[in-house]
Amino acid sequence: MDNPLAGAAANRRSFLSLLGLGAIAVAGSGTLAACGEKAADTGTTQQLDKLQAVLPKYQPLELVQPDIKGVSPVANGFTKYPSALVDAIAEKPGRGSTITTMTPYWGQVPAGPGQNAYLDAINAELGAVVTPGIQDGNTYADKLNAILPARDIPDVLCIPSWEIGKIPNFSEATKALFEDLTDHLAGDKVKPYQMLANLPTVAWGNAVWNERLMAVPWPTDGPYPWALFYRKDLTDPAGATIPKTAEELYAFGKKMTDPAKGVWAFNDIQAMVEMIFKVPGAKEGWRAKSGKVEFKYETEEFKAALEFLAKLYKDGLIHPDVVASKGADAKLLFSSGKIAMIQDGVGAWLGVQAEQQKVTAGFNMQPVPFFAADGSAPLVHGSGDPVFYTFVKKGLGKEKVEEILRILNFVAAPLGTKEFELIEYGVEGKHFTKGADGWPAGTDLQGKEKADQFRFLAGTAPTIKYDARVPNYVNDLINWENAAVKNLEVDPWLGMKLEMPAGYVKVKQPTEDKVKDIARGRRPLSDLDAVLKEWRDGGGEEGRAFMAKALSDAGR
């Protein structure tokens, strides 16, 4: 599918668009069997409320008061830059070590230490030489599948949450490859790492495997994986009505599609169509209804959504480049006016608007308020899972592990600290300048040297911060997100960390491919029953039994 980060600015909200990938992420083959430990093919369930003893004790830092309040789980917004920054970490965290890392990035890879002023300035403050290994985010899974079975991993490894969901028996890999952080961070042991203690407990809970704390989480700052965005600067002159029902969405598509002018209404909007038709989205598509556990493929809502999606394809409302190729750059088509409405990650909004308004006068990208097919109250899919997890290589020794944790603690410093400013923006006068509003504005050098080599290693306490390029962004985003909180889907498995059975994981991608063939007209809608049977026989029933047992064991 399209890379939701293409052209987006490097910031937390841009990275959240990657959660959209997780919404339809594909299952991988069990490549981690080479890690050497016996695979737990039946899946595992952890009740997070029973694991408090292994989690860091939450110790919030209130350095800056928000200007706009988010309704939980929406993060707070900050429109004013702090007038006085706190020097939060007095002692250099490093001890002169060389530390290798691996992170994804969706853009040009900059030079390394010694040839990169951004890296060198941060390493000087750290008192260590962090050597980033930046990998193409679009092929990150391939790199993971190469290094994990071979145990050829760096000292610090960032793994996106949507990649973990593809790997059968990942819990076995954590035991074989990564340092157990429980004895370093659990309870009051986190006190020396005040910035890590400022991360929310719910994020830490998801960093537990085998009932042990195995990673540092990168918390999400918003629950919504997907949105529909439209080009208001194009739709208003055309007289197109922003949809509030499925019928109006189809009418919008007809209104805005004009092949003679090279314009079509949509990219592949499958995830949003499923949401519009109230297809279950919890744990990637499960629900418990009337005492029965069922997956989305088995529901009448999914069938209706697939029929509607197939109609959009059949009637030529989706850009032909998207129809023909998995690799079509829908973001580029949207930005150039070849697509009027796009399904994308929420985080794409800021980056695309900021960049394209420099190219196209009046460019105006806006999110469609969530709606249901029949005009009733919508069912809004959401997730509070972390975006990334950072693992420390097993066997480095106590001193180096603690040095790495001190460095991650530095990187996790929140807005209002000098450490945050350095990690987020670089060196003043070189990588950024401050405007009249006080907020840092990046220079060309920042764009060349900064690829979030450090930010991907540790997130901060969730915040939505002002960006001078799009002054109304914080207010518009939080108001849009707050309005949908009341319609968030209730997850029956909330508070559980589930690792699905290997058979279920392996059948997921082949089934998604078959569903896409139906949607795009390569197979008839009547084939859905056969696809469903193949899914059940291939691992779906195994998944259902696992999900049902998880509920039963929890007394739900």
Side-chain angles (χ1 to χ4, degrees):
M1 63 171 294
D2 305 314
N3 169 21
L5 281 185
N11 57 69
R12 177 192 293 266
R13 294 302 303 185
S14 296
F15 303 143
L16 288 177
S17 62
L18 292 167
L19 286 174
L21 290 173
I24 58 171
V26 299
S29 59
T31 54
L32 290 183
C35 288
E37 301 213 12
K38 191 174 186 297
D41 289 338
T42 55
T44 60
T45 302
Q46 296 178 120
Q47 300 287 345
L48 299 183
D49 61 348
K50 298 179 180 179
L51 298 173
Q52 296 300 309
V54 305
L55 303 182
K57 183 179 179 181
Y58 180 53
Q59 300 171 48
L61 289 173
E62 297 183 354
L63 300 177
V64 185
Q65 292 300 311
D67 302 300
I68 303 174
K69 286 280 190 179
V71 177
S72 181
V74 175
N76 292 326
F78 298 82
T79 60
K80 301 181 185 69
Y81 196 69
S83 57
L85 300 181
V86 175
D87 192 353
I89 300 173
E91 183 181 355
K92 291 185 185 296
R95 296 295 181 265
S97 299
T98 295
I99 297 169
T100 57
T101 71
M102 180 173 137
T103 55
Y105 192 64
W106 291 260
Q108 186 173 352
V109 176
Q115 299 177 299
N116 185 313
Y118 171 76
L119 288 181
D120 293 344
I122 296 175
N123 280 338
E125 289 297 314
L126 294 177
V129 179
V130 175
T131 304
I134 303 172
Q135 302 295 326
D136 183 354
N138 295 311
T139 57
Y140 204 67
D142 296 336
K143 185 66 176 178
L144 291 172
N145 282 334
I147 68 170
L148 294 179
R151 299 175 182 254
D152 182 22
I153 61 175
D155 298 329
V156 183
L157 176 63
C158 168
I159 304 184
S161 59
W162 60 92
E163 301 295 1
I164 290 174
K166 302 175 190 179
I167 304 172
N169 311 313
F170 184 76
S171 60
E172 298 300 316
T174 65
K175 289 191 291 186
L177 300 176
F178 305 127
E179 188 72 23
D180 184 340
L181 301 179
T182 311
D183 292 338
H184 297 277
L185 298 174
D188 287 333
K189 292 177 182 177
V190 77
K191 281 186 176 180
Y193 312 102
Q194 190 178 15
M195 311 305 154
L196 295 181
N198 188 39
L199 302 181
T201 300
V202 66
W204 285 109
N206 282 281
V208 173
W209 282 268
N210 306 303
E211 300 186 358
R212 302 294 289 176
L213 185 65
M214 300 302 297
V216 174
W218 202 91
T220 179
D221 64 5
Y224 312 110
W226 289 114
L228 279 178
F229 292 101
Y230 67 100
R231 285 283 304 272
K232 184 173 174 59
D233 54 309
L234 300 180
T235 58
D236 281 1
T241 301
I242 302 310
K244 296 180 180 179
T245 66
E247 183 179 350
E248 291 178 5
L249 180 63
Y250 181 82
F252 175 94
K254 294 290 285 185
K255 181 79 172 178
M256 294 306 300
T257 297
D258 189 345
K261 294 182 178 178
V263 177
W264 283 262
F266 308 115
N267 70 326
D268 182 4
I269 58 174
Q270 179 179 342
M272 283 302 303
V273 167
E274 290 183 15
M275 195 186 305
I276 289 165
F277 278 83
K278 300 187 179 182
V279 174
K283 299 296 184 284
E284 296 191 347
W286 290 94
R287 75 179 176 194
K289 184 177 181 181
S290 303
K292 179 182 178 183
V293 172
E294 56 187 1
F295 192 60
K296 65 180 183 178
Y297 301 145
E298 305 172 288
T299 68
E300 289 300 315
E301 292 91 340
F302 182 80
K303 183 176 181 180
L306 187 58
E307 288 177 351
F308 181 83
L309 188 65
K311 184 179 181 182
L312 298 183
Y313 275 101
K314 180 176 180 294
D315 292 354
L317 306 185
I318 294 174
H319 197 286
D321 288 358
V322 175
V323 178
S325 170
K326 291 182 179 179
D329 191 341
K331 198 184 303 289
L332 178 60
L333 294 170
F334 177 75
S335 299
S336 61
K338 303 300 182 183
I339 290 177
M341 182 177 285
I342 186 174
Q343 170 188 294
D344 208 340
V346 175
W349 186 3
L350 175 61
V352 174
Q353 178 63 42
E355 292 303 314
Q356 293 306 313
Q357 66 190 14
K358 296 187 296 187
V359 178
T360 303
F363 184 94
N364 191 354
M365 176 181 182
Q366 293 293 322
V368 178
F370 291 106
F371 64 93
D374 60 0
S376 61
L379 178 74
V380 180
H381 296 168
S383 172
D385 293 348
V387 184
F388 302 132
Y389 297 95
T390 295
F391 298 88
V392 178
K393 183 178 181 179
K394 190 173 184 177
L396 295 179
K398 183 174 182 290
E399 289 187 6
K400 189 163 185 178
V401 170
E402 290 178 349
E403 182 180 16
I404 288 171
L405 289 175
R406 288 193 299 270
I407 288 171
L408 295 180
N409 183 62
F410 184 105
V411 176
L415 179 68
T417 65
K418 293 180 180 179
E419 292 81 3
F420 176 91
E421 184 176 87
L422 179 63
I423 296 292
E424 198 74 11
Y425 303 110
V427 178
E428 186 171 7
K430 186 176 290 185
H431 299 103
F432 72 89
T433 58
K434 289 183 179 178
D437 57 13
W439 283 90
T443 63
D444 290 342
L445 184 63
Q446 184 195 86
K448 293 176 182 178
E449 294 191 337
K450 180 175 177 284
D452 279 272
Q453 303 94 319
F454 292 93
R455 176 55 65 221
F456 274 2
L457 298 178
T460 64
T463 57
I464 299 171
K465 63 185 190 326
Y466 175 85
D467 192 300
R469 299 171 301 172
V470 188
N472 295 328
Y473 172 73
V474 175
N475 187 70
D476 290 349
L477 173 67
I478 293 180
N479 286 338
W480 177 80
E481 290 196 335
N482 281 349
V485 167
K486 63 182 180 295
N487 298 123
L488 276 168
E489 180 183 27
V490 176
D491 180 358
W493 294 270
L494 185 67
M496 300 183 197
K497 184 176 175 63
L498 307 173
E499 182 173 7
M500 299 300 291
Y504 170 81
V505 174
K506 290 177 182 177
V507 78
K508 192 169 186 296
Q509 177 57 36
T511 308
E512 286 290 333
D513 290 342
K514 294 168 187 175
V515 168
K516 285 189 177 296
D517 283 342
I518 293 174
R520 298 182 184 211
R522 295 190 286 260
R523 296 180 63 165
L525 280 164
S526 58
D527 276 6
L528 181 59
D529 289 340
V531 169
L532 180 55
K533 183 179 187 305
E534 292 164 0
W535 173 81
R536 286 170 172 158
D537 294 344
E541 289 294 350
E542 187 180 355
R544 185 201 321 284
F546 171 78
M547 297 297 280
K549 186 176 186 302
L551 284 181
S552 176
D553 289 348
R556 301 184 187 179

